[in-house]
Amino acid sequence: MTASAGDKREPPGPPAALLAEVTAEALCAAQGYAAGVYLCSRSPHMLRLAVLSGLPGPLFRPWWRVHLERPFPVGDAHRLGTPVVLANATEAMRRYPQFAAGLPFQFGTLNVPVVAEGHAFGVMTVLRPAASDAGELQEQRERLARVADSLAAALLRSLAEGGFVTWDDEPLCVRPPAAGPAPGRVGRLAWDPVGDSVTTDECARVLLGLAPDRPPDTLSALSRGVDPMDAHRLPGLLREAARGRPPPRPVQVRTDDGSVRLLQLWAPPSNAPTPVSGVLIDPAPGSLADGAADLLPEGVFCLDRLGLVVYANARAAHLLGVERARMLGRSLWEAVPWLGQPACEEHLRGALLSPEAVHFHIRRPPPPPAEAGDAGARSGPRPYEGDWLSMAVYPGPDLLTCTAVPASRVPHDPRRPAPAGVTGAAAQGVDGAAADVEADVPAPDGAASTAPAYRPIVLAIALTEAVTARQVSAVVMQELLPAFGGRRLAIYLLQERHLYLAWETGFPKGFLAPFEGVGLDARLPGVETLTTGRPLFFDSMGQLADAYPGIPLDAEVGARAFLPLIASGRPVGSCILGFDGPRSFGSEERAVLTALAGLIAHAMEKAQRYDTEAALARGLQQVLLPRRLSQHACVETAGRYLAGTEGMEVGGDWYDVVEAGDGLALVIGDVQGHGVQAAATMGQLRSAVRAFALGDRPPEEVMGGTNLLLIDLDPGQFASCCYVRLDPVTGLARAVRAGHPLPLLRHADGRTEVVDLRGGVVLGVDPRAHYPVTELRLDPGAILALYTDGLVERPGQDIDDGVTDLRSALSAAGAPGRPLTEVADRLTAAPRRTPDRPDDIALLLATRLPPHRA
């Protein structure tokens, strides 16, 4: 019997209850105020935030995804498999300037990989108060590692049972354990879908307005205790939760008398209905205070650490222009949408991540035009057009307390400018006294910025690390699009008066093909923004179609920004940003986007020069590496070279096999650095070694002469080298080494050892350097392996461990009768599949053939 298509279900992912539990344990272990777990995504090279405890998810949306190729503490902890501890903001700026610029607050962070039996599931991260150095956090790090290990063990069991251990949804946002008594009443309930039985505690029944002595025993009875509108919604929420899909955030439920309750549900994921547990929270003002705050002249409201408004006095509702009942139980951004601008969000992040209070000014928007003549609207609270508010946010362990007063009532500090529109006596405050007030003054035009002020800094830091056009485009996609909420990106570069697509994401497949190679005379916004040097902004697709009749559109709705890429007065290309919905571009946002386009243009110009130099270096290197190795009837050799994948992908590693009298010279070397200079120096050294070897000079003279040559050339570089002169008939080898890794020798019986060669200093440093000779014997069937350090070095790993791994691989790969080319391929298979190779790799193998094969 086979299941129908409708019965097929994906295996369950990590249980929400498990993730919530481990983040609570992590907060306790590391003494933090926020914790999260990043898990691997189905998208390669990406981690996604699976659970976040203690912080509002929407406020940290830019950090929901972590690209592993970007420098980020969570990404490094996952890639390297080691904890990353940042004790304070200074340490974060030193090691991860891009991360620190994005969250410029005083806090520390501990990041511990979640790993079990070779499976790297993700990273557990905790944000905590800053410390003086990482040594202070040693105990917390060890406790957090134990929590991460317990999560890894649970995920390993889930994997063995056929469940998913990846995450591709929005993060679960859960409340941290309360630091003190709960601010409001909390009731508990449970529902078993199999028998339709409901259990509630006394507090839950009180919160729902049900008779304490008559608990609801069924789902329908429970629904009778809520507002009729929610009575239809509540059963659906519980049934979805029973199927393993509980709502990720608390949902608002109203009782029959209109009181607001917050309902949090959870249940283990399962294909069959499972019991549902939940808590019911009372966010009413009376549960937080005795009502005294209602008498204060300033507005006061409180947020929990998930951003929900749990208290607001009447004055706060009036100043913010919303009804008080609409604030309670909602997220701040849902209750007061105009506070969702990035400038305000940045201050809230600061209050959530550091112990210091934050102060800022914000301008209230004018009332919607539809309300201007509405007498009913005038009777309720609404913002005053052109008014400014002075806001203060005071952090606490469980709640943020926020105050709001009209800006005209704020005492003025003469060292700071007054908010726009506040002059004269109002600027000095009601009593004319000055006070030290922290205030961030927005632009005079009051336009709401939709990009944080630090975003240019973040992008600039990221662009300094990008060296190729592809890397620059990837940075723009990862940093610019999320900051502005964009979904589409296209970057065109100018070549011979035509624009060619360098990068695109988000556009329908094939849509951009007709625009490939368009000339500068085409009437297209992507062309005209470059030829005029003027950015073009379209709030809707209708505006774009009106301005360019007949232009193909990739969507019916949305907004577009076309930015010129101009560096040092020279046109470089154009950048297109696409948004899914209509939107307006404020003056500050236009200025920021235009400035960012300049940063991108300069980075692209640098990348184009780099790409040109890289192409030259690659060509030079290909010419300098041997096309074929010298051969001998008694000896088989094989060489492999892999370029590094970071930077120019061209370095100074080389290998060679040269006829030396009646023998063979085996050579391998590594010039410091990368690029054209390293490749050119490598070519000179290779030619020198070949010349000495062809004259069959003794090994010590070959190395000494090459050392003097490099010193005379004075390229500002040094090199390591290993030179082995082998007698193919007797197997006697005489070897010298200049600062190079020790060779490996695999005997015919499979034993592998490190050859102890005495050595001298690297080439190009000491003109009096001496290079002693070591004799060894290569028996028939034995394999001698020469290699550069790129084959055995791993970030965060001791090089001796890399050599041990290579010994094991050589022992297993060098089976009798196996071609040496296949052995070379096996030894370089793992690094060949690795996308991130920080250094070049060169490998040279040699073996004496048995008499019957010679």
Side-chain angles (χ1 to χ4, degrees), residues 197-200 205 208 210-211 214-223:
S197 60
V198 172
T199 57
T200 55
R205 294 193 290 276
L208 289 173
L210 302 172
R214 295 185 60 186
D217 54 359
T218 64
L219 183 54
S220 60
L222 179 66
S223 300

Side-chain angles (χ1 to χ4, degrees), residues 332-386:
L332 181 63
W333 305 275
E334 180 187 2
V336 192
W338 61 269
L339 284 179
Q341 52 187 284
C344 179
E345 291 181 349
E346 180 68 0
H347 290 296
L348 289 174
R349 274 194 286 265
L352 285 162
L353 294 178
S354 62
E356 302 296 327
V358 296
H359 305 262
F360 60 98
H361 285 89
I362 193 165
R363 191 174 190 176
R364 297 180 291 186
E371 296 183 1
D374 186 350
R378 288 196 297 270
S379 64
R382 67 170 190 161
Y384 305 108
E385 183 172 3

Side-chain angles (χ1 to χ4, degrees), residues 118-186:
H119 293 276
F121 297 111
V123 175
M124 179 173 289
T125 181
V126 172
L127 309 182
R128 65 177 315 282
S132 59
D133 57 57
E136 290 186 22
L137 306 180
Q138 180 65 28
E139 184 178 351
Q140 289 90 335
R141 192 191 79 172
E142 293 174 354
R143 290 201 298 260
L144 185 62
R146 289 194 288 270
V147 178
D149 289 343
S150 68
L151 173 60
L155 294 176
L156 190 66
R157 290 193 296 272
S158 177
L159 185 66
E161 295 168 359
F164 281 145
V165 292
T166 57
W167 193 272
D168 287 280
D169 298 323
E170 291 187 4
L172 303 171
C173 295
V174 299
R175 283 183 174 75
R185 295 173 293 171
V186 177

Side-chain angles (χ1 to χ4, degrees), residues 27-345:
L27 286 173
C28 181
Q31 300 174 355
Y33 41 67
V37 174
Y38 283 86
L39 294 177
C40 292
S41 166
R42 295 179 191 174
S43 302
H45 313 302
M46 183 182 293
L47 296 177
R48 293 191 70 120
L49 185 61
V51 61
L52 180 63
S53 175
L55 294 174
L59 203 58
F60 291 83
R61 186 180 293 271
W63 296 272
W64 283 8
R65 299 186 302 172
V66 171
H67 293 265
L68 292 178
E69 62 267 27
R70 304 302 307 146
F72 201 80
V74 168
D76 280 1
H78 181 72
R79 284 192 305 106
L80 304 178
T82 58
V84 174
V85 178
L86 303 176
N88 48 51
T90 302
E91 179 72 4
M93 180 59 74
R94 183 181 68 83
R95 295 177 57 186
Y96 298 94
Q98 185 178 340
F99 168 69
L103 291 170
F105 313 113
Q106 284 295 334
F107 68 95
T109 174
L110 286 76
N111 306 274
V112 177
V114 180
V115 180
E117 297 185 11
H119 293 276
F121 297 111
V123 175
M124 179 173 289
T125 181
V126 172
L127 309 182
R128 65 177 315 282
S132 59
D133 57 57
E136 290 186 22
L137 306 180
Q138 180 65 28
E139 184 178 351
Q140 289 90 335
R141 192 191 79 172
E142 293 174 354
R143 290 201 298 260
L144 185 62
R146 289 194 288 270
V147 178
D149 289 343
S150 68
L151 173 60
L155 294 176
L156 190 66
R157 290 193 296 272
S158 177
L159 185 66
E161 295 168 359
F164 281 145
V165 292
T166 57
W167 193 272
D168 287 280
D169 298 323
E170 291 187 4
L172 303 171
C173 295
V174 299
R175 283 183 174 75
R185 295 173 293 171
V186 177
R188 288 170 172 78
L189 58 86
W191 176 58
D192 186 352
V194 177
D196 188 24
S197 60
V198 172
T199 57
T200 55
D201 64 8
E202 182 178 353
C203 187
R205 294 193 290 276
V206 171
L207 291 176
L208 289 173
L210 302 172
D213 57 343
R214 295 185 60 186
D217 54 359
T218 64
L219 183 54
S220 60
L222 179 66
S223 300
R224 286 195 291 271
V226 300
D227 181 87
M229 293 297 293
D230 287 333
H232 299 288
R233 189 165 58 102
L234 184 59
L237 291 171
L238 287 164
R239 292 190 181 103
E240 282 295 297
R243 297 188 183 99
R245 296 189 292 271
R249 301 183 182 91
V251 295
Q252 179 179 292
V253 175
R254 290 186 179 274
T255 63
D256 202 25
D257 63 1
S259 300
V260 176
R261 304 291 183 251
L262 300 178
L263 178 62
Q264 175 80 69
L265 300 172
W266 64 86
S270 173
N271 292 337
T274 58
V276 178
S277 300
V279 295
L280 205 63
I281 304 168
D282 173 18
S287 65
L288 293 170
D290 60 4
D294 286 342
L295 305 177
L296 296 176
E298 64 263 3
V300 179
F301 60 97
C302 298
L303 311 174
D304 72 2
R305 294 197 68 86
L306 292 188
L308 293 177
V309 181
V310 296
Y311 171 76
N313 68 358
R315 181 62 170 162
H318 177 75
L319 290 174
L320 296 176
V322 296
E323 295 179 6
R324 188 181 185 186
R326 290 185 57 82
M327 292 184 66
L328 298 176
R330 288 183 167 88
S331 74
L332 181 63
W333 305 275
E334 180 187 2
V336 192
W338 61 269
L339 284 179
Q341 52 187 284
C344 179
E345 291 181 349

Side-chain angles (χ1 to χ4, degrees), residues 746-750 781 783 811-819 823 853:
R746 183 194 188 278
H747 298 279
D749 59 5
I783 300 175
S811 179
R818 177 171 290 161
V823 176
R853 292 183 56 194

Side-chain angles (χ1 to χ4, degrees), residues 293-552:
D294 286 342
L295 305 177
L296 296 176
E298 64 263 3
V300 179
F301 60 97
C302 298
L303 311 174
D304 72 2
R305 294 197 68 86
L306 292 188
L308 293 177
V309 181
V310 296
Y311 171 76
N313 68 358
R315 181 62 170 162
H318 177 75
L319 290 174
L320 296 176
V322 296
E323 295 179 6
R324 188 181 185 186
R326 290 185 57 82
M327 292 184 66
L328 298 176
R330 288 183 167 88
S331 74
L332 181 63
W333 305 275
E334 180 187 2
V336 192
W338 61 269
L339 284 179
Q341 52 187 284
C344 179
E345 291 181 349
E346 180 68 0
H347 290 296
L348 289 174
R349 274 194 286 265
L352 285 162
L353 294 178
S354 62
E356 302 296 327
V358 296
H359 305 262
F360 60 98
H361 285 89
I362 193 165
R363 191 174 190 176
R364 297 180 291 186
E371 296 183 1
D374 186 350
R378 288 196 297 270
S379 64
R382 67 170 190 161
Y384 305 108
E385 183 172 3
D387 278 358
W388 291 78
L389 292 179
S390 176
M391 307 285 292
V393 184
Y394 301 91
D398 297 317
L399 297 175
L400 299 183
T401 301
C402 310
T403 64
V405 295
S408 59
R409 293 182 58 239
V410 179
H412 174 60
D413 183 350
R415 296 170 298 176
R416 303 179 186 274
V422 181
T423 58
Q428 290 295 322
V430 293
D431 58 358
D436 188 5
V437 180
E438 294 289 337
D440 292 339
V441 182
D445 64 0
S449 168
T450 57
Y454 63 82
R455 184 56 56 182
I457 302 174
V458 175
L459 186 62
I461 293 173
L463 287 175
T464 60
E465 301 169 352
V467 292
T468 67
R470 183 174 182 83
Q471 290 172 345
V472 170
S473 301
V475 166
V476 175
M477 181 191 71
Q478 295 162 11
E479 298 295 339
L480 190 63
L481 281 185
F484 291 86
R487 298 289 183 179
R488 293 169 170 82
L489 169 70
I491 294 180
Y492 284 86
L493 297 181
L494 182 64
Q495 297 179 19
E496 299 179 353
R497 296 187 59 79
H498 289 77
L499 287 173
Y500 295 92
L501 186 64
W503 182 280
E504 66 93 8
T505 184
F507 286 92
K509 186 176 181 180
F511 173 76
L512 297 176
F515 304 105
E516 180 71 3
V518 297
L520 295 185
D521 56 348
R523 191 175 185 276
L524 294 169
V527 174
E528 293 189 356
T529 189
L530 181 61
T531 56
T532 64
R534 187 167 47 88
L536 302 174
F537 300 94
F538 300 95
D539 295 351
S540 67
M541 300 303 284
Q543 281 189 4
L544 177 59
D546 291 342
Y548 294 88
I551 186 173

